[in-house]
Amino acid sequence: MAPSTDLLQGTLDMLILKTLAPGQEHGWAIAQKIQLMSNNVLQIGQGSLYPALHRLEYRGWIRATWGASENNRRARFYTLTTAGRRQLDAELENWDRLTGAVNLVLQGA
């Protein structure tokens, strides 16, 4: 049995925002980058990715435009907005605080 790769609630949004920080990507490329950067530990299915992208777009943290992918297919490309960059900074700060607190508990156990 493979170890669980369930993400903490809200973590997927942070990972997507971080993946878009360097520049625009289409959905499939976002999922692939997260998988590659996590050494294949995190695999984001379409059933999780696209609702998250829609949610982030609705909140104004990303913007979507239509374009052609590297294999010349029509795809939606997502870009981080200014509000999205602020949200990413806030989420990274919160993540550091949370992981630091968990580490303190684990070291004390």
Side-chain angles (χ1 to χ4, degrees):
M1 179 178 197
S4 173
T5 57
D6 292 344
L7 293 174
L8 293 173
Q9 188 172 3
T11 307
L12 178 57
D13 292 358
M14 180 179 61
L15 294 174
I16 291 170
L17 293 174
K18 180 67 176 174
T19 302
L20 291 173
Q24 72 172 5
E25 295 287 356
H26 54 77
W28 185 82
I30 293 169
Q32 287 298 107
K33 282 192 171 186
I34 291 172
Q35 183 174 339
L36 289 172
M37 294 174 72
S38 70
N39 290 330
N40 295 315
V41 172
L42 302 175
Q43 297 177 14
I44 312 301
Q46 291 183 4
S48 297
L49 178 67
Y50 288 101
L53 289 169
H54 182 73
R55 181 177 56 250
L56 296 174
E57 186 179 10
Y58 178 78
R59 291 178 178 164
W61 297 341
I62 63 174
R63 183 178 319 112
T65 56
W66 286 102
S69 67
E70 57 279 346
N71 57 5
N72 210 26
R73 288 189 171 178
R74 190 169 186 236
R76 289 189 84 185
F77 284 83
Y78 299 92
T79 306
L80 206 57
T81 64
T82 301
R85 288 194 186 281
R86 283 194 304 266
Q87 183 63 26
L88 174 59
D89 290 343
E91 292 199 23
L92 290 173
E93 185 177 319
N94 190 45
W95 179 258
D96 286 344
R97 186 177 57 78
L98 177 64
T99 56
V102 169
N103 281 333
L104 288 173
V105 172
L106 293 177
Q107 290 168 1

